[in-house]
Amino acid sequence: MTTSASERRLRLRGLYAVTPETGDPAVLLELVDRAIAGGARLVQYRAKRLAARERRLQAEALLALCRERGVPLIVNDDLALAVALGADGIHLGRGDGDPREARARLPGAILGVSCYGDVSLAVAAAESGADYVGIGSVFASATKPQAVRSDLATLGEARRRARVPVAAIGGITPANAAQAVAAGADMLAVISSLFDAPDVSAAARALSRPFETEADSHVRTQPAAL
């Protein structure tokens, strides 16, 4: 059954675990399982260097794990893979395809679009069917050290103008996570400070902590469905 935009967007809050690069599927599954145990609410499968067959096998195993744990699996960049798997969603970056095509091919799936620090891109993405937009790099990023930085204020502005949930991306750690949430982030997309931590579950709990309070007004007022 196809879900509505409002139903999909209700799930878009909390720690958004973005997978690290590894050729070992057993290691990947263990890391993601620990992240979910610690509180990750969404998982994005991101694999830039693997061959197509390896990527497909990893994604299939990861989807099975996420379905078992009741957490959505979103595929990064690869629309064909997301469609083939029947994944819970697709995330598109710059040059990764038209959000309208992704929405047409995955009508009930979560659709996310990277908008960097450009609020006009966020508005356009929402108009094209995106369920959430990614804003960043909000802090210096070890994964993308050359990424253009985005002011924290852009998180709130994108949320107000695009009227969809916002994922803060880039350089997020337990020490600065609360700043991003207070600025307007509905989700925190994290790779390094989560999966490079000696205790992934503990890192996930620390990164999830800002979502345990409703002190910020934006938590109580969800974006309106388009």
Side-chain angles (χ1 to χ4, degrees):
M1 183 175 65
T2 299
T3 58
S4 68
S6 59
E7 289 172 328
R8 292 191 300 272
R9 292 171 191 174
L10 285 174
R11 307 181 76 182
L12 301 180
R13 180 159 182 78
L15 174 59
Y16 187 179
V18 182
T19 61
E21 291 276 355
T22 175
D24 188 332
V27 168
L28 180 66
L29 291 175
E30 179 65 23
L31 289 172
V32 171
D33 195 32
R34 291 178 184 177
I36 293 171
R41 293 292 174 259
L42 303 97
V43 174
Q44 181 184 125
Y45 177 58
R46 181 180 186 273
K48 299 291 189 180
R49 298 193 292 268
L50 291 181
R53 182 177 182 277
E54 292 177 283
R55 193 162 60 245
R56 172 69 181 260
L57 291 173
Q58 280 196 354
E60 287 175 345
L62 197 55
L63 180 61
L65 171 66
C66 288
R67 290 276 165 84
E68 181 182 335
R69 299 290 188 267
V71 172
L73 177 68
I74 297 168
V75 173
N76 178 276
D77 294 352
D78 193 335
L79 178 57
L81 177 59
V83 171
L85 289 175
D88 300 301
I90 178 74
H91 183 91
L92 301 176
R94 184 180 285 124
D96 293 328
D98 185 345
R100 290 182 177 86
E101 179 189 357
R103 173 52 67 218
R105 295 183 66 187
L106 291 168
I110 296 166
L111 172 58
V113 178
S114 289
C115 298
Y116 312 97
D118 190 335
V119 175
S120 65
L121 286 180
V123 172
E127 291 173 348
S128 297
D131 292 305
Y132 74 89
V133 294
I135 297 295
S137 180
V138 292
F139 303 105
S141 170
T143 303
K144 294 185 177 181
Q146 304 305 318
V148 175
R149 293 283 297 278
S150 174
D151 194 297
L152 278 171
T154 306
L155 295 169
E157 186 182 357
R159 197 175 188 278
R160 288 189 299 273
R161 289 180 53 190
R163 297 175 66 80
V164 295
V166 171
I169 299 171
I172 296 166
T173 70
N176 59 32
Q179 295 177 53
V181 174
D186 298 278
M187 295 172 284
L188 301 176
V190 185
I191 304 177
S192 298
S193 68
L194 175 60
F195 290 112
D196 289 347
D199 185 333
V200 173
S201 293
R205 286 192 293 272
L207 288 159
S208 299
R209 201 158 290 130
F211 296 103
E212 294 173 0
T213 174
E214 291 194 354
D216 301 302
S217 62
H218 85 274
V219 172
R220 295 189 294 271
T221 305
Q222 292 295 318
L226 296 178

